[in-house]
């Protein structure tokens, strides 16, 4: 991960937020904190977009949290997919609202 500065920066952001959350303690294995989901997705997205070796990137993240690299990578993938899904749904709702407003405006004008 050190070869791509933007990925390294994402890992550092994750590290500082994790340290804030966990202190110097060990991450609970079952309850991954919601506050760390966004920086985890950022690490995954930057690593994917910059064609990094995911194992290496997530080994660095795993060292921060004391969780398994594969567990974190799976979680990052799931979060990224669900985030994309909710963005699609939001866009769809915005289009519907815009169409309703357009129709309403036409009715008021006519």
């Amino acid at each position: 991960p050190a070869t791509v500065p933007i990925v390294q920066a994402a890992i550092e952001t994750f590290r500082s937020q994790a340290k804030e959350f966990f202190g110097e303690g060990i991450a609970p294995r079952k309850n991954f904190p919601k506050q760390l989901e966004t920086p985890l997705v950022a690490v995954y997205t930057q690593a994917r977009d910059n064609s990094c070796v995911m194992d290496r990137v997530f080994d660095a993240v795993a060292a921060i949290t004391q969780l398994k690299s594969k567990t974190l990578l799976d979680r990052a993938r799931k979060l990224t997919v669900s985030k994309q899904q909710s963005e699609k749904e939001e866009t769809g709702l915005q289009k519907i609202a815009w169409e309703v407003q357009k129709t309403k405006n036409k009715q008021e004008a006519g």
Side-chain angles (χ1 to χ4, degrees):
T3 55
V4 183
I6 196 160
V7 175
Q8 192 61 42
I11 291 171
E12 287 307 315
T13 299
F14 181 86
R15 176 178 284 121
S16 68
Q17 291 185 5
K19 205 174 248 183
E20 231 174 76
F21 192 81
F22 296 125
E24 297 301 321
I26 292 175
R29 294 201 180 272
K30 296 250 189 270
N31 303 326
F32 188 81
K34 280 223 176 280
Q35 298 89 323
L36 294 178
E37 288 179 355
T38 301
L40 184 69
V41 168
V43 169
Y44 174 77
T45 305
Q46 292 298 342
R48 182 195 61 204
D49 294 352
N50 289 286
S51 305
C52 293
V53 178
M54 288 296 188
D55 289 345
R56 287 194 192 145
V57 172
F58 278 85
D59 282 347
V61 175
I64 297 166
T65 62
Q66 304 294 315
L67 294 168
K68 289 182 182 166
S69 178
K70 184 177 176 352
T71 303
L72 289 166
L73 180 55
D74 289 346
R75 187 179 305 258
R77 280 190 185 124
K78 284 178 189 165
L79 289 168
T80 302
V81 167
S82 70
K83 186 178 175 192
Q84 289 169 340
Q85 196 62 40
S86 65
E87 285 171 1
K88 278 183 190 172
E89 288 169 9
E90 199 173 288
T91 303
L93 289 173
Q94 287 170 343
K95 285 180 183 174
I96 292 169
W98 188 75
E99 288 297 324
V100 168
Q101 189 61 47
K102 208 165 71 172
T103 304
K104 197 174 179 184
N105 289 347
K106 280 183 183 174
Q107 289 172 343
E108 287 173 4

